[in-house]
Amino acid sequence: MMLPAPRTPDPRDAPSLRWGILGAGGIAAVMTAALLEGTTQQVVAVGSRDLAKARAFAERFGIARAHGSYEDLVDDPEVDAVYVATPHSAHLEHALLAIGAGRHLLVEKAFTRNAAEADAVLEAAEDAGVTCVEAMWSRFLPGFDVVRRAVADGLLGDVRLVQADHGQLLYPDGPVRLAEPSLAGGALLDLGVYPLHLAAMLMPQVVELRATGTLTPLGVDEQETIGLRDASGAIAAISASMSATSPTEASVTGTEARLELDGPFYQPSLIRLVDPADRVLDTWESASPDAHLGLRFEAVELARRVAEGQPESPLLPWSETRRVMGLMDEVRAQLGVVLPGE
């Protein structure tokens, strides 16, 4: 048995869009670097509420225009598409701002704080006729397509168990936004979203969810374990923590074989096909020298959908974004996490 090759197109072959970066923080910088290497995409503008910060960001990446407000960024006539790179708590506001200006948009994960906000964004995108994609980058990576194909081709037999963890030591001495309820902090929206997306990709009809975890003194989730059961009988065991570093590995086990994804599993990584006797039958590994260049795959997917006049991506359709947001709502409900304004 051999692993299938990914069907992911070369990022350089995607039609070019002129991008505006909404936000000038860390993930905005990583995405901008990815867009500028190995693609035909153009980054033409950046916007921040701090003009000096926007100018420094523009100078760092050779971007032509820096705007001192998000309104000015989305109204820039040279911008075709906007990458929303602000905290989760602001995604609804900033996505609607971009849609109101008629811009296509890529919204950083987690897409919004909750499913109701996701509905509001996607309904607005549909009404405006713009393309909108959730920036869950692992869904667009070649390695995840290897996983999709292996499962779809029956290489594993019937999938029975999905396991994944994502733990990083980010609390209490990490980014302030992770500890702050008003910024939609917590482990789930920032870290747990990765294993949850993997499980959801392989379990299309989740019929049961059980979650347990611990909260911080301010009431955001510090860590959680989540159990899922699919209508097929497959189950998932996933966990997330922002107060401890875990292996961040994943496995997909079927009746005839299993896939092992080395950590960090959500980045370009090594995938092994293993038989029930623990013999490695085949391996696949990303050729990318820099894992974070993988962010470009989600951006060029948006560019392809725009060129085709399609509002959403078949790799991560709106229904799936809504479904995963709904699963995270249920996790937070069981943990007792309520964010300000909900």
Side-chain angles (χ1 to χ4, degrees), residues 146-164:
V146 172
V147 173
R148 275 192 210 93
R149 292 197 67 188
V151 171
D153 292 349
L155 209 58
L156 308 185
D158 296 328
V159 172
R160 308 310 297 154
L161 175 62
V162 179
Q163 296 171 289

Side-chain angles (χ1 to χ4, degrees), residues 89-232:
S89 54
H91 285 184
L92 172 64
E93 176 188 353
H94 296 153
L96 293 178
L97 191 68
I99 292 168
R103 308 301 176 216
H104 307 290
L105 69 161
L106 181 66
V107 182
E108 185 53 50
K109 61 80 196 160
F111 190 69
T112 50
R113 295 188 305 171
N114 53 51
E117 291 184 353
D119 283 340
V121 171
L122 295 175
E123 288 168 9
E126 183 175 25
D127 290 344
V130 300
T131 301
C132 179
V133 172
E134 178 185 0
M136 169 44 68
W137 66 305
S138 53
R139 287 270 192 149
F140 303 93
L141 292 174
F144 266 52
D145 196 54
V146 172
V147 173
R148 275 192 210 93
R149 292 197 67 188
V151 171
D153 292 349
L155 209 58
L156 308 185
D158 296 328
V159 172
R160 308 310 297 154
L161 175 62
V162 179
Q163 296 171 289
D165 68 274
H166 190 180
Q168 295 188 41
L169 185 54
L170 300 172
Y171 174 84
D173 299 321
V176 172
R177 65 178 180 82
L178 288 176
E180 180 53 55
S182 66
L183 296 177
L188 180 65
L189 293 180
D190 211 73
L191 305 176
V193 65
Y194 287 103
L196 193 56
H197 258 283
L198 174 64
M201 184 178 81
L202 302 172
M203 300 171 66
Q205 292 181 286
V206 173
V207 294
E208 185 178 8
L209 183 156
R210 296 186 181 181
T212 186
T214 56
L215 307 186
T216 70
L218 292 181
V220 299
D221 54 300
E222 179 184 336
Q223 55 187 0
E224 54 263 328
T225 62
I226 305 166
L228 303 170
R229 180 170 62 87
D230 189 68
S232 67

Side-chain angles (χ1 to χ4, degrees), residues 144 147 198 248-252 259-263 265 269-271:
F144 266 52
V147 173
L198 174 64
T248 315
E249 298 170 343
S251 63
V252 183
L259 297 176
E260 297 176 347
L261 285 70
D262 279 358
F265 74 88
S269 63
L270 179 69
I271 300 173

